[in-house]
Amino acid sequence: MLPTEVDGRQLPPGTISRSVQVDLRSPWAIRDVEIPTRLVLAPMAGVSVQAFRRQGRRYGAGLVCSEMVSCAGLHHGNERTLGYLRISADERPLAVQIFGSEPEVMAEAARMVEDAGADLVDVNFGCPVKKVTKTGAGATLLEDPERACGVISAVAEAVSVPVTVKMRRGIENGSRSCLELGPRLVEAGASSLTLHPRSARQMYTGEADHSLTAELAALVEVPVVASGDVTSRARAQAILATTGAAAVMVGRAAQGNPWALREILDGDAGEPTREEVVAELILFMRETVRELGERRATGFLKKFYGWYLGRGRFPRPFKAELVQLETLDEVETRLLAAAPGAAEVLQGLLDELPDAEDDVILDLPISIYGGG
Ligand SMILES: Cc1cc2nc3c(=O)[nH]c(=O)nc-3n(C[C@H](O)[C@H](O)[C@H](O)COP(=O)(O)O)c2cc1C
């Protein structure tokens, strides 16, 4: 029997919903790009630095995505940016996300992204942040189908790698714009669609309505990726089984918590030890310093302390203490004092890492305004 509802919501008649159990460890492809698992790490502005993406790959994400690279910044050189995009071989397959609303500017940015070695060019049609939407980019394009299709066909013509689109359901609550736009974007050249089925107005409140993901997957021939509230293996399997999506995307659940990816892929592997948590956090800090420089990294990393050390892993005052420390060296020393065995675990992680010298640093500024 095929399921007739997703998340307790009735599917419209005619929606084909496949109730097959999808093996999260089975490979799939976006056109000719092979992706080893059904787990995609979400692009998140202010989070998806290279350390996050490489960590995601180590814990089983089959595909990772950069933060939004600013096309406006590329063109005018005047946008506030977090830094420059750095990519390395062990991140691949890698999607680099671009945003903007001018087809020609977007095509130029896509060419740069392809030249830099991205396996996929992802276009952001979901960002709800005003700074982005008021320029006609991000979620605004969900309600401007002519321009949206113009952007995708210009980008798809400009590059030979597959072009993918990340969308929200629409701007207003209850909107179903993604269902009209999705098939048109595929016609314009999109090789995969990721849907985060919340409205732009909702930001991150309420719930992702994956009955829309099922409807979209039934309408298009290309793989659909389901994004939103994937927090456990049970949830991931339910979404894959009831929507016909090819893969699930994980965002917030993986913040400071790569072990969530392992749980989603393989089932409960138990909580990480304190030593593992501290070792991963220190590695993350060191890699982030390499990417952003010590000054930027110091502020950037503060939110990660709570994400790593929370979830009952360390007492609350410990995080507050770390945030007060002035240098990252002091933070590292304090972390190692709290979990002395972490030094050995860290050494093991460092031994496994490929050489940083293989990194390519691109002349592409990372936008500080992200979202989707
Ligand atoms: C802090 C933050 C930043 C985000 N930045 C982006 C972005 O730059 N581009 C994008 O397409 N989506 C962005 N998103 C949306 C996520 O990729 C994802 O679709 C959303 O968080 C829902 O998935 P989740 O419930 O697994 O977090 C962002 C989300 C968060 C929480």
Side-chain angles (χ1 to χ4, degrees):
M1 260 271 286
L2 293 175
T4 53
E5 52 179 60
V6 177
D7 293 347
R9 290 181 179 86
Q10 202 69 27
L11 287 174
T15 305
I16 305 159
S17 189
R18 286 147 270 193
S19 71
V20 228
Q21 193 67 60
V22 180
D23 175 5
L24 277 146
R25 283 226 177 249
S26 63
W28 59 294
I30 297 178
R31 228 180 57 200
D32 50 347
V33 176
E34 280 216 25
I35 301 168
T37 69
R38 305 274 165 165
L39 192 55
V40 181
L41 193 64
M44 287 184 285
V47 178
S48 303
V49 287
Q50 189 189 31
F52 185 76
R53 304 190 303 262
R54 291 174 98 185
Q55 182 186 65
R57 291 281 291 143
R58 279 191 287 119
Y59 279 81
L63 176 65
V64 297
C65 187
S66 78
E67 299 177 70
M68 272 181 6
V69 172
S70 166
C71 296
L74 276 182
H75 224 56
H76 309 297
N78 62 358
E79 178 141 345
R80 276 187 66 203
T81 54
L82 183 68
Y84 288 83
L85 191 66
R86 173 194 278 267
I87 62 179
S88 65
D90 61 318
E91 295 182 49
R92 300 181 63 185
L94 169 75
V96 172
Q97 187 177 71
I98 60 176
F99 77 99
S101 60
E102 292 298 329
E104 281 321 305
V105 181
M106 290 289 276
E108 186 190 331
R111 272 190 290 269
M112 289 180 72
V113 165
E114 176 178 44
D115 288 348
D119 300 287
L120 301 161
V121 176
D122 188 58
V123 181
N124 181 313
F125 281 3
C127 184
V129 177
K130 262 229 166 73
K131 288 259 186 220
V132 170
T133 53
K134 76 175 185 200
T135 67
T140 304
L141 286 159
L142 296 169
E143 312 291 347
D144 190 352
E146 292 308 318
R147 183 171 282 274
C149 292
V151 166
I152 296 307
S153 56
V155 169
E157 260 173 49
V159 294
S160 55
V161 294
V163 174
T164 59
V165 182
K166 184 153 178 292
M167 306 191 277
R168 283 196 177 226
R169 65 182 295 164
I171 292 182
E172 300 300 334
N173 292 344
S175 167
R176 295 168 59 81
S177 297
C178 60
L179 299 179
E180 273 169 41
L181 187 59
R184 293 185 60 183
L185 295 176
V186 172
E187 235 171 82
S191 297
S192 170
L193 303 173
T194 297
L195 181 63
H196 174 204
R198 280 187 173 88
S199 69
R201 291 260 178 276
Q202 273 181 291
M203 301 292 283
Y204 299 95
T205 64
E207 277 172 30
D209 177 359
H210 284 293
S211 67
L212 280 174
T213 312
E215 287 190 66
L216 182 65
L219 288 172
V220 296
E221 296 292 324
V222 299
V224 168
V225 179
S227 170
D229 306 338
V230 180
T231 51
S232 65
R233 179 173 174 81
R235 195 86 194 98
Q237 284 181 324
I239 289 172
L240 287 176
T242 54
T243 61
V248 287
M249 180 177 269
V250 178
R252 289 166 295 171
Q255 291 172 337
N257 195 24
W259 301 278
L261 303 177
R262 197 170 60 187
E263 191 277 328
I264 290 170
L265 277 174
D266 296 326
D268 195 8
E271 268 291 298
T273 63
R274 281 187 169 197
E275 284 70 24
E276 283 177 287
V277 172
V278 165
E280 282 294 348
L281 174 53
I282 293 179
L283 177 62
F284 191 87
M285 289 164 58
R286 290 187 185 175
E287 282 198 83
T288 304
V289 169
R290 196 162 56 84
E291 186 175 7
L292 303 182
E294 176 102 23
R295 194 181 57 79
R296 266 205 191 107
T298 304
F300 177 88
L301 284 166
K302 288 194 169 160
K303 58 182 179 283
F304 285 88
Y305 302 152
W307 288 340
Y308 275 91
L309 307 173
R311 307 172 203 267
R313 291 170 184 160
F314 284 83
R316 264 169 195 260
F318 186 47
K319 177 206 132 190
E321 188 188 325
L322 293 183
V323 174
Q324 299 300 324
L325 296 174
E326 282 196 2
T327 68
L328 292 177
D329 273 350
E330 288 172 274
V331 175
E332 213 180 292
T333 306
R334 187 66 194 85
L335 282 167
L336 286 172
E344 200 179 315
V345 182
L346 175 63
Q347 194 52 52
L349 295 176
L350 290 169
D351 291 345
E352 296 285 310
L353 278 190
D355 249 353
E357 274 140 45
D358 297 339
D359 280 12
V360 183
I361 300 172
L362 310 172
D363 205 13
L364 296 172
I366 297 167
S367 171
I368 60 161
Y369 312 117

